[in-house]
Amino acid sequence: MHGDGAGYSPRKTAAALTYLHGFGNEHSSEAVPGALPEGRNSPQRAPLGLYAEQVSGTAFTQPRADNRRSWLYRVRPSAAHPALTRTDNGALASAPFTAEPDPNRMRWDPLPEPAQGTDFLAGLWTLGGNGDAATRTGMAVHLYHANAPMERVFGNADGELLIVPERGGLLVRTEFGLLAADPGEVLLVPRGVRMRVEPLDGTARGYVCENYGHPFRLPELGPIGANGLANARDFRAPVAAYEEDDDAAREGGVEVVTKYCGNLWRAVYDHSPLDVVAWHGNHVPYVYDLRRFNVIGSISYDHPDPSVFTVLTAPSDTPGLAGVDFVVFAPRWLVGEDTFRPPYFHRNVMSEYMGLIEGGYDAKTGGGFVPGGGSLHSMMSAHGPDRATYERASTVELAPSKVEDGLAFMFETRWPVVTTGRAVTAGHLQRDYDGVWRGLERHFTGG
Ligand code: FE2
């Protein structure tokens, strides 16, 4: 499909991909030699008869350190499209979320298998979020479960998409070129960048953080120093690749769906919008392998707050207070002496949605937190190790040990996560999550 001809295999295509390296770099790439103008962005006539177009992910005037934009050199300009009309949002919802905020701790099993023929966009299911898509604040938590390639193209004006595959890989064709991610890797697709998503293995399932606010960036490292956590060089951007003589276009058009202020709109183009022959800039998609994360932890006692596991942070207007952080609990050694080593009991002003990519999670050894499922602990909701974990970790003889069979993550946001109606009526919402903290015994010996 899509120009790859007979015998097409998304796995084979993914295996052959090459990438550019480095988060935030001024990347450039051309699929045809000479397509990229030299020394200027917008020559009187762009090379090879291409149209020059800038896509701005930040306001023109934002500081250099924050500024994101790319120049695209395309067969036809993005402006060449007919009027957009509303189309069904499916199970995709956007902020503002208007349900009454619920302080209860919640946990979900994985989404049920969707109907055959469900593509990535149709398979998006919104759990909740905060802020407002139109004022570019806050975030949303979505899950996806897809079993068919997208024939249509999707672009999101409302924010960037951090895609976290959990089961099955994805091949993503973007305006900037192709990326592939298997479980354990994550994809970051910037605001407005059009894409077509295809399961690598027939079916694909995972999580999406939609960030309406400032784009994700690498966290500051402070006293950690110049290296560590997610290293910039491990983020991979695509090389330019374009669709022109596209099957769908030949057969009467390409459906392009745009999410705009919370709703889906569609138009049928007479060409593929993935027709960018060359580009340069820093508003580009990335893939990152979470197993490359350099985990920092205590080598004396206690364990640091989980902010030390931040992969990417989307700052808000208040320094140090993220619109959303993406945090990973990756394999790591635990060596703390006289320390309760799993995540401690806590109440957090920030709100935490957690998911599991593979294996287990060291705060929940009593079962129920499974790959593809998730949990939500919103503002000040008390949580921490389940009873089984507490009993074991508070009595076990401490020796160096390795947490190595799990990959969990967290979307942590400064505002409470308000759930959608479907998230609290869904059959996969666990009905007695509070029970994991039931029966924590009274050990007090002072009175
Ligand atoms: Fe927590």
Side-chain angles (χ1 to χ4, degrees):
M1 60 178 286
H2 304 304
D4 292 82
Y8 168 69
S9 149
R11 269 278 160 215
K12 220 183 274 179
T13 301
L17 294 180
T18 58
Y19 294 98
L20 307 169
H21 292 259
F23 189 89
N25 282 2
E26 283 288 329
H27 290 295
S28 63
S29 183
E30 56 186 11
V32 175
L36 203 56
E38 287 288 335
R40 67 201 63 217
N41 297 322
S42 189
Q44 185 177 21
R45 289 184 71 85
L48 310 181
L50 297 168
Y51 289 90
E53 174 187 292
Q54 183 177 209
V55 55
S56 297
T58 54
F60 298 144
T61 48
Q62 283 187 254
R64 262 178 197 270
D66 298 332
N67 211 294
R68 304 279 182 92
R69 62 87 184 86
S70 288
W71 279 90
L72 310 179
Y73 301 92
R74 46 197 322 150
V75 178
R76 263 164 293 187
S78 292
H81 71 76
L84 286 75
T85 56
R86 278 282 282 120
T87 187
D88 185 16
N89 292 342
L92 182 60
S94 295
F97 296 94
T98 54
E100 188 170 88
D102 186 336
N104 275 297
R105 295 126 353 149
M106 299 181 202
R107 193 164 70 179
W108 291 263
D109 291 323
L111 280 178
E113 184 74 34
Q116 275 308 310
T118 300
D119 70 12
F120 175 83
L121 179 55
L124 282 169
W125 186 96
T126 305
L127 186 135
N130 53 42
D132 185 343
T135 59
R136 304 205 297 274
T137 55
M139 54 84 75
V141 178
H142 312 285
L143 290 93
Y144 68 88
H145 200 160
N147 54 29
M150 281 173 67
E151 298 294 332
R152 51 193 178 164
V153 172
F154 177 53
N156 183 20
D158 290 345
E160 65 185 334
L161 299 174
L162 175 70
I163 303 172
V164 184
E166 175 267 322
R167 178 180 292 178
L170 296 174
L171 179 66
V172 183
R173 297 165 189 271
T174 76
E175 290 173 275
F176 291 79
L178 281 68
L179 306 98
D182 275 312
E185 297 175 308
V186 295
L187 290 152
L188 186 61
V189 182
R191 183 189 298 271
V193 171
R194 273 83 64 91
M195 64 177 178
R196 186 183 264 142
V197 181
E198 190 175 344
L200 278 171
D201 307 298
T203 184
R205 195 171 79 172
Y207 309 83
V208 177
C209 177
E210 182 180 14
N211 171 27
Y212 304 123
H214 296 286
F216 275 115
R217 63 171 69 155
L218 293 170
E220 297 299 336
L221 292 175
I224 292 172
N227 309 283
L229 308 188
N231 286 305
R233 68 186 288 252
D234 291 328
F235 285 78
R236 288 167 283 149
V239 295
Y242 64 100
E243 295 179 355
E244 190 182 7
D245 187 19
D246 180 73
D247 293 343
R250 276 201 304 270
E251 288 162 18
V254 179
E255 182 182 13
V256 179
V257 179
T258 299
K259 187 159 93 69
Y260 179 80
C261 294
N263 291 315
L264 297 186
W265 295 72
R266 72 184 284 276
V268 177
Y269 289 26
D270 63 1
H271 64 281
S272 170
L274 308 184
D275 65 349
V276 177
V277 180
W279 57 265
H280 75 87
N282 60 2
H283 186 67
V284 299
Y286 293 104
V287 58
Y288 174 71
D289 186 344
L290 296 170
R291 288 162 292 224
R292 294 272 178 105
F293 188 78
N294 174 233
V295 185
I296 304 284
S298 171
I299 50 172
S300 57
Y301 61 88
D302 290 352
H303 70 73
D305 295 323
S307 44
V308 79
F309 301 149
T310 301
V311 181
L312 292 164
T313 184
S316 73
D317 291 336
T318 306
L321 192 50
V324 57
D325 282 332
F326 174 59
V327 176
V328 69
F329 300 84
R332 62 202 180 277
W333 279 94
L334 301 178
V335 300
E337 295 179 306
D338 185 19
T339 292
F340 184 81
R341 289 179 176 176
Y344 40 68
F345 289 109
H346 68 139
R347 293 178 291 157
N348 188 356
V349 67
M350 303 284 277
S351 294
E352 308 176 7
Y353 174 80
M354 282 199 63
L356 188 59
I357 298 163
E358 62 187 31
Y361 175 59
D362 57 336
K364 296 287 186 299
T365 52
F369 183 58
V370 297
S375 66
L376 176 63
H377 308 129
S378 243
M379 180 173 66
M380 286 294 162
S381 298
H383 62 285
D386 59 17
R387 183 187 168 198
T389 303
Y390 180 79
E391 296 301 337
R392 180 188 49 76
S394 60
T395 55
V396 70
E397 189 164 342
L398 295 178
S401 64
K402 193 169 184 191
V403 177
E404 53 189 341
D405 69 336
L407 199 55
F409 70 90
M410 179 161 66
F411 303 147
E412 180 169 359
T413 162
R414 66 172 288 185
W415 298 286
V417 172
V418 178
T419 47
T420 57
R422 71 174 59 85
V424 290
T425 55
H428 58 291
L429 176 69
Q430 297 177 6
R431 296 295 160 188
D432 186 28
Y433 180 35
D434 297 325
V436 308
W437 296 287
R438 197 174 295 135
L440 281 159
E441 288 174 31
R442 184 178 188 280
H443 295 296
F444 182 50
T445 56

